[in-house]
């Protein structure tokens, strides 16, 4: 294990410097055993009984993430959704929670359906406006404020420190979906958040080949204990191979995120002046509404995610929606697929996947910038835009 104080890049690259005691291997083993031997005197001194939530392969990924987030402990889950919903399930029916209007759509749907039927009182607000948060808080009743920043797919920025101050003053805890920012750019716990969530499916793993979720807590707390029990009892855990792949993926997190950020910034600036594009939504553009806050709480880049809104054709009668779908149809390098944060760049007509009731403009294409040469990505999108006319 790395003993001295080192930078997060070093922690990630060496996965905390862990070496296998038995073999001296520098890549950790994958533990597939579902169960562990009980001592002859009926004790379990190894500390492990059953692998539903005690698989040793979880240990490295959880420890690396805890170090990267500057937290107390982390838990791996079977998906980002399993991680996020565990936080809400650790509350009680009747509890009031505040969530953003702009957020990952599947979690928003779950909050509007399952969580609401279960008795949770969910209020959706404009989380970018601290005054809206202040007036939504019901001291003593509001138990949780859920933040996502930058938030899918408009990349709205919430001031984490300001939101934490408001939430804590009213006795609520704050959980941040930091999937898009990653610990490379933002450490929400340092800004006052209580829990950080990642869809580790995205940047943490980074190769579009693992579905996983994580939670990291700032401190041991009754809420964290309930979350631990939910994972142990409901069993929404990761398989050992996926946990191992996640550790491997995090080793390259820093260079991947930095490359994606630099490329996304160049792409955003390039298309901001494009005649076929109505608007580029990217926190790294000085004209973006949340830019100043993003510059304060994101270090070293503004993320690899952006969205572009396509103009309708002025030659024909095609709407912005039709032009957006046609643009996506003509890309060759960008892959037409949902998800984000992988090595390959993805393009998605977001309203199509979110369906009826989505707040996403129908002319919007969501772009996840991968690690290809930026010039190639620009040329491919330029060509698709001109063919779509
Ligand atoms: C910001 C964000 N949060 C949560 C999730 C859910 O993660 P998963 O698909 O691993 O359940 C996603 C997935 O797209 C996401 O983009």
């Amino acid at each position: 294990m790395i003993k001295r104080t080192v930078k997060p890049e070093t922690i990630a690259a060496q996965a905390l410097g862990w070496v296998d005691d038995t073999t001296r291997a520098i890549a950790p083993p994958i533990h597939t055993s579902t169960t562990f031997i009980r001592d002859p005197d009926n004790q379990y001194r190894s500390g492990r009984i059953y692998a539903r939530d005690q698989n040793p392969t979880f240990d490295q990924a959880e420890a690396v993430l805890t170090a990267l987030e500057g937290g107390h402990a982390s838990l791996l889950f079977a998906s980002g959704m399993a991680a996020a919903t565990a936080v809400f399930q650790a509350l009680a029916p009747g509890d009031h929670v505040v969530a953003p209007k702009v957020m990952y759509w599947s979690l928003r749907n779950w909050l509007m359906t399952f969580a609401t039927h279960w008795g949770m009182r969910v209020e959706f607000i404009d989380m970018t406006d601290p005054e809206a948060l202040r007036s939504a808080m019901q001291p003593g009743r509001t138990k949780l404020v859920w933040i996502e920043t930058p938030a899918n797919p408009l990349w709205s920025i919430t001031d984490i420190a300001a939101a934490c101050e408001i939430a804590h003053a009213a006795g609520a805890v704050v959980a941040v979906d930091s999937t898009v920012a990653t610990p490379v750019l933002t450490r929400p716990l340092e800004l006052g958040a209580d829990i950080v969530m990642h869809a580790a499916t995205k940047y943490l793993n980074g190769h579009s080949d693992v579905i996983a979720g994580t939670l990291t807590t700032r401190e041991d707390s009754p809420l964290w204990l309930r979350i631990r029990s939910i994972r142990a009892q409901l069993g929404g855990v990761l398989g050992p191979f996926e946990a191992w792949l996640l550790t491997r993926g995090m080793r390259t997190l820093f260079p991947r995120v930095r490359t994606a950020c630099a490329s996304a910034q160049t792409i955003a600036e390039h298309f901001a002046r494009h005649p076929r594009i109505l608007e580029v939504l990217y926190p790294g553009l000085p004209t973006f509404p949340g830019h100043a806050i993003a510059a304060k709480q994101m270090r070293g880049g503004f993320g690899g995610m952006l969205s572009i809104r396509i103009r309708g054709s002025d030659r024909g009668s095609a709407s912005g929606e039709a032009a957006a779908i046609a643009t996506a149809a003509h890309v060759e390098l960008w892959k037409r697929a949902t998800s984000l944060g992988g090595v390959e760049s993805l393009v998605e007509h977001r309203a199509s996947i979110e369906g009826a009731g989505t707040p996403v403009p129908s002319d919007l294409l969501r772009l996840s910038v991968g690690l290809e040469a930026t010039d190639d990505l620009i040329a491919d999108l330029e060509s698709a835009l001109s063919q779509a006319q």
Side-chain angles (χ1 to χ4, degrees):
M1 294 285 281
I2 296 174
K3 291 201 181 62
R4 53 203 179 99
T5 309
V6 293
K7 298 221 158 84
E9 292 87 323
T10 309
I11 291 172
Q14 295 205 357
L16 275 169
W18 186 90
V19 174
D20 181 52
D21 281 340
T22 320
T23 63
R24 309 306 290 152
I26 61 168
I30 302 176
H31 294 272
T32 54
S33 185
T34 54
T35 191
F36 302 89
I37 294 283
R38 190 190 272 275
D39 298 333
D41 61 357
N42 215 31
Q43 303 297 306
Y44 264 117
R45 284 190 193 75
S46 74
R48 296 184 206 267
I49 300 173
Y50 188 58
R52 189 189 304 124
D53 70 329
Q54 295 178 338
N55 190 308
T57 322
F58 298 169
D59 296 0
Q60 277 101 33
E62 290 179 349
V64 170
L65 187 62
T66 300
L68 295 183
E69 289 291 2
H72 166 75
S74 300
L75 289 171
L76 303 187
F77 287 83
S79 67
M81 281 297 287
T85 54
V87 179
F88 291 95
Q89 288 177 87
L91 304 178
D95 284 349
H96 177 244
V97 305
V98 183
K101 281 184 186 156
V102 176
M103 67 183 292
Y104 174 57
W105 70 291
S106 198
L107 184 58
R108 186 180 66 228
N109 282 352
W110 184 84
L111 289 171
M112 289 192 306
T113 54
F114 185 96
T116 302
H117 294 155
W118 182 62
M120 190 161 282
R121 294 181 303 118
V122 189
E123 189 169 342
F124 294 95
I125 63 158
D126 175 1
M127 199 61 83
T128 65
D129 176 5
E131 288 319 309
L133 178 60
R134 206 183 301 280
S135 53
M137 297 306 295
Q138 300 175 15
R141 287 180 154 182
T142 310
K143 297 293 192 245
L144 174 71
V145 172
W146 185 266
I147 292 173
E148 181 180 327
T149 184
N152 252 295
L154 307 181
W155 317 115
S156 326
I157 300 292
T158 294
D159 186 332
I160 298 174
C164 288
E165 224 179 285
I166 295 166
H168 290 158
V173 299
V174 177
V176 179
D177 181 341
S178 197
T179 298
V180 171
T182 81
V184 177
L185 307 176
T186 304
R187 304 223 300 180
L189 303 179
E190 282 174 359
L191 300 170
D194 302 281
I195 290 178
V196 182
M197 175 252 152
H198 289 280
T201 312
K202 318 299 176 184
Y203 290 100
L204 293 188
N205 179 64
H207 293 74
S208 308
D209 53 11
V210 169
I211 298 279
T214 64
L215 295 176
T216 303
T217 186
R218 187 157 48 86
E219 58 186 11
D220 223 351
S221 63
L223 176 69
W224 186 248
L225 278 180
R226 289 198 296 279
I227 291 171
R228 288 189 76 95
S229 316
I230 285 167
R231 186 182 77 157
Q233 290 165 359
L234 301 192
V237 296
L238 210 52
F241 182 50
E242 287 74 14
W244 183 89
L245 277 174
L246 179 56
T247 302
R248 187 168 95 153
M250 284 193 287
R251 286 175 178 250
T252 55
L253 178 67
F254 280 77
R256 283 190 286 101
V257 169
R258 286 183 179 147
T259 302
C261 284
S263 197
Q265 182 77 39
T266 305
I267 292 168
E269 285 168 10
H270 177 93
F271 287 104
R273 296 179 297 276
H274 198 282
R276 303 272 24 115
I277 291 182
L278 192 64
E279 190 181 13
V280 174
L281 303 173
Y282 183 62
L285 293 177
T287 48
F288 188 79
H291 176 72
I293 294 161
K296 196 178 66 170
Q297 72 186 19
M298 299 177 85
R299 285 168 317 214
F302 295 90
M305 297 302 300
L306 66 145
S307 294
I308 53 177
R309 297 186 59 193
I310 312 293
R311 281 188 202 282
S313 162
D314 40 28
R315 270 179 273 153
S317 55
S319 61
E321 178 176 11
I325 292 170
T327 303
H330 284 100
V331 292
E332 286 179 16
L333 286 178
W334 296 79
K335 302 290 177 233
R336 259 182 321 282
T338 194
S339 200
L340 59 101
V343 290
E344 61 290 290
S345 295
L346 305 181
V347 58
E348 179 179 42
H349 181 248
R350 193 65 197 160
S352 293
I353 196 137
E354 296 202 9
T358 173
V360 176
S362 61
D363 56 8
L364 181 142
L365 291 177
R366 186 179 85 168
L367 305 180
S368 171
V369 178
L371 305 187
E372 304 90 338
T374 310
D375 290 352
D376 289 339
L377 294 174
I378 289 177
D380 192 40
L381 206 46
E382 281 281 10
S383 149
L385 282 164
S386 61
Q387 288 180 72
Q389 293 310 304

